Amino acid sequence: VKVLVLGASGQVGSETVRAGGLIGHEMLAATQEMCDITDAGSVTAALDAHRPQVVINCAAWTAVDAAEDNEEAAAALNAEAPAMLASACAARHIRLCHISTDYVFDGSATTPIPEDAPPNPLSAYGRTKLAGEQAVRALCPDHVIVRSSWIFGGHGPNFVLTMLRLIEDGDPLRVVADQRGAPTWAGHLGLALTRLVNVGPPGTYHLTGAGETTWHGLASAIVEDTGASVEVVPIPTGEFPTKAIRPRYSVLANSAWRALGEPPLPTWRDGLQAYLHRLGRLSPALIPSRADD
Ligand SMILES: NC(=O)c1ccc[n+]([C@@H]2O[C@H](COP(=O)([O-])OP(=O)(O)OC[C@H]3O[C@@H](n4cnc5c(N)ncnc54)[C@H](OP(=O)(O)O)[C@@H]3O)[C@@H](O)[C@H]2O)c1
């Protein structure tokens, strides 16, 4: 299948291009310089030049805190651009796979959240991403909306790279322990996205690393799996105030994906170890078990 990936230099975009190539799709990688998704002329030129059967939109405004003071700019990228892209894809009978986020939910759930749970974003970022979903659903009949969470991969920026940098300082890490989610390696997500290119009906899919943890749990795993010896101190959200409010619980049930008969994504810990291996930071004790990452 001929697949055009937008935002191809990002965490998810770069891994999706890589994964699609591995399973035999013809992957066309468009970076922001090659295709600016806020520019209708640039988008239609890319669609008409390459004539893809599927577009995977990995381009977005992803700076969650910065969106609080720049909601209009975030909406241009996360809501208006996907709307225009959805119309352009629909007019050409192209399947549009669009990536969204767990931050469309308000964190009041206590068990994994199904695809049809009512969204209620707490942040500007979440509001703009929800508006993007709604536009894609309304304007492109052959759409696949994929919500993921706590993504790490490529050259970031992401939580894992931040922790690796802080570990170098040797000071205790003080990390929030009262937000729960499912960390997801972009490599595992990218592989699943390339399945949804030609598998499954249109609709909304939750795709996340299996299992769940807190930011403190993830930081502790990073320390352990790199073989570092740094203390990881649990703190409440109140001790690490951020501009945007995050959901306290945003584990997504991957129900629609499982209903296709697809296996669950590997665990977040497996994804973490694969990523650390890629970065050359996996503890030597763990390397033998990961020879083929
Ligand atoms: N990161 C997370 O934890 C997380 C969690 C849940 C869902 N998501 C969603 O997953 C998707 C991918 O996120 P990510 O983590 O891979 O983000 P990312 O690494 O920040 O990548 C976003 C990409 O979008 C590109 N971009 C920005 N403006 C653009 C424009 N006008 N036209 C074309 N491309 C543009 C960026 O290009 P440059 O490289 O040139 O800046 C970047 O490569 C997004 O929809 C995001 O909302 C992310």
Side-chain angles (χ1 to χ4, degrees):
V1 181
K2 196 172 187 181
V3 182
L4 175 65
V5 178
L6 303 173
S9 58
Q11 302 195 89
V12 177
S14 56
E15 290 291 350
T16 301
V17 171
R18 183 187 168 106
L22 290 176
I23 66 166
H25 292 317
E26 183 184 348
M27 303 302 285
L28 305 161
T31 61
Q32 179 171 187
E33 293 72 45
M34 296 154 78
C35 181
D36 178 346
I37 66 158
T38 61
D39 175 351
S42 170
V43 168
T44 53
L47 297 183
D48 293 336
H50 300 299
R51 299 180 152 277
Q53 293 153 287
V54 179
V55 168
I56 303 181
N57 179 32
C58 301
W61 176 298
T62 54
V64 175
D65 291 308
E68 292 298 311
D69 290 332
N70 298 282
E71 189 159 351
E72 251 180 64
L77 204 48
N78 290 349
E80 289 149 36
M84 180 267 291
L85 178 62
S87 298
C89 286
R92 293 164 179 77
H93 306 288
I94 295 170
R95 169 169 275 207
L96 174 58
C97 177
H98 176 73
I99 320 301
S100 193
T101 170
D102 56 327
Y103 285 11
V104 299
F105 294 111
D106 63 14
S108 59
T110 51
T111 53
I113 304 165
E115 284 81 357
D116 60 358
N120 181 30
L122 303 171
S123 62
Y125 168 74
R127 283 191 293 276
T128 62
K129 292 295 294 182
L130 178 59
E133 286 186 7
Q134 289 165 338
V136 168
R137 233 172 252 127
L139 297 170
C140 185
D142 193 5
H143 67 263
V144 171
I145 291 166
V146 172
R147 297 192 186 117
S148 191
S149 62
W150 296 27
I151 295 170
F152 53 88
H155 45 69
N158 61 53
F159 181 85
V160 177
L161 292 175
T162 302
M163 290 301 119
L164 290 176
R165 228 174 13 251
L166 293 174
I167 284 170
E168 296 298 309
D169 299 339
D171 299 328
L173 304 174
R174 296 168 51 76
V175 188
V176 169
D178 56 4
Q179 290 172 29
R180 290 192 78 75
T184 306
W185 179 41
H188 290 155
L189 175 60
L191 206 52
L193 287 175
T194 55
R195 289 280 295 155
L196 287 173
V197 156
N198 51 0
V199 171
T204 303
Y205 294 83
H206 288 173
L207 280 177
T208 57
E212 58 178 85
T213 188
T214 63
W215 294 112
H216 175 268
L218 178 54
S220 303
I222 295 165
V223 167
E224 195 178 320
D225 292 349
T226 54
S229 49
V230 170
E231 193 188 350
V232 189
V233 182
I235 61 167
T237 297
E239 282 185 33
F240 187 76
T242 52
K243 201 142 201 156
I245 302 171
R246 268 83 173 160
R248 283 191 159 247
Y249 180 93
S250 66
V251 180
L252 304 177
N254 292 202
S255 318
W257 172 254
R258 297 298 304 276
L260 297 179
E262 295 288 333
L265 265 61
T267 63
W268 64 264
R269 188 71 178 257
D270 188 75
L272 172 64
Q273 293 181 358
Y275 185 45
L276 292 173
H277 195 203
R278 262 297 175 84
L279 295 171
R281 297 294 298 270
L282 188 64
S283 161
L286 293 168
I287 288 176
S289 60
R290 307 211 60 90
D292 36 325
D293 281 337

